Every structure is written in structure tokens, then in C-alpha cells.
Amino acid sequence: MSSSLVSIIIPAHNAESFVADAINSALHQSHANVQVIVVNDGSTDGTAHVLDAIREPRSTVIHQTQHGVSHARNTALAKADGDFICFLDADDQLPIRSIEHRLGVFKNNPSISFVDGA
């Protein structure tokens, strides 16, 4: 599990003020093997501009017309390559060891299929 790819999915709508912090928290995890997929769900503020400025090979930005958060997550899921999926809201941040800790829970409890929390 230490080398498992984790796809972190971030739906964003009018998140100009905070989406960069969410993305940075995902990219700077102690478990570095992450793929970050951000779906701009029809934002009317400067979210698209913030996302288009990202130059990180582990991240993908998708722009779509507004269909809602569930559709945005499903759009990202269709592009996800990870062994595990993590959902992150655009106005939230992951603590630096969050993915590492979650993978540890899976490793120590092979019968579970879902982990959530910091």
C-alpha cells in the first residue's frame, strides 16, 4: 500500500478564494503518489483562471458546465487511475499525513472498504 496511487477528487464551483489551498494540501501529502483531479463545475468567478495556472504533472483540471457536485465527482471518477479514491471539497484541506494514515487503516483492516476523516 505504500506505493498505491490515490486519486484525490476535488469538485469546485465558485471556489476562487480557496481551491488553490485544497489542491496544495492534496499535492503535499506525506504519501506522494497522488493524482489530483479538479472539476470546475461551471464557476462564474475566477476559479477557472486559478485552475488553469496550475502546472503540476500529478494534477488534472476538467472544465464543465454546471451540473452539480455529484456530476462533477462522477466526471472525475471516470478519469481516476488510483487504487484508492479520496474526495476533498474545494473549501477544505487535507492534513499532511491524511492519505498515509488512511492507507494504514486499510492495510491493518483488509476487510473494510471505506475510510474517512482527517
Side-chain angles (χ1 to χ4, degrees):
M1 292 214 180
S2 63
S3 64
S4 297
L5 176 63
V6 178
S7 296
I8 302 173
I9 292 174
I10 306 174
H13 177 74
N14 291 343
E16 174 184 14
S17 298
F18 32 78
V19 70
D21 290 334
I23 294 166
N24 284 329
S25 78
L27 291 170
H28 293 98
Q29 288 293 299
S30 58
H31 178 86
N33 195 15
V34 297
Q35 167 192 43
V36 178
I37 305 170
V38 186
V39 178
N40 175 21
D41 189 44
S43 295
T44 57
D45 64 356
T47 299
H49 179 72
V50 171
L51 297 178
D52 288 341
I54 297 170
R55 300 289 179 249
E56 163 61 55
R58 296 177 298 156
S59 67
T60 301
V61 174
I62 301 167
H63 298 283
Q64 67 181 27
T65 57
Q66 186 178 6
H67 294 290
V69 66
S70 295
H71 188 278
R73 286 184 179 133
N74 287 335
T75 298
L77 278 170
K79 300 289 186 185
D81 296 319
D83 303 303
F84 295 90
I85 303 294
C86 176
F87 293 113
L88 177 63
D89 291 336
D91 63 347
D92 205 353
Q93 296 178 38
L94 291 171
I96 194 163
R97 296 183 69 188
S98 182
I99 299 299
E100 174 188 347
H101 286 266
R102 292 176 195 213
L103 290 174
V105 172
F106 280 121
K107 181 179 179 182
N108 294 327
N109 302 278
S111 65
I112 64 170
S113 58
F114 183 84
V115 175
D116 191 28

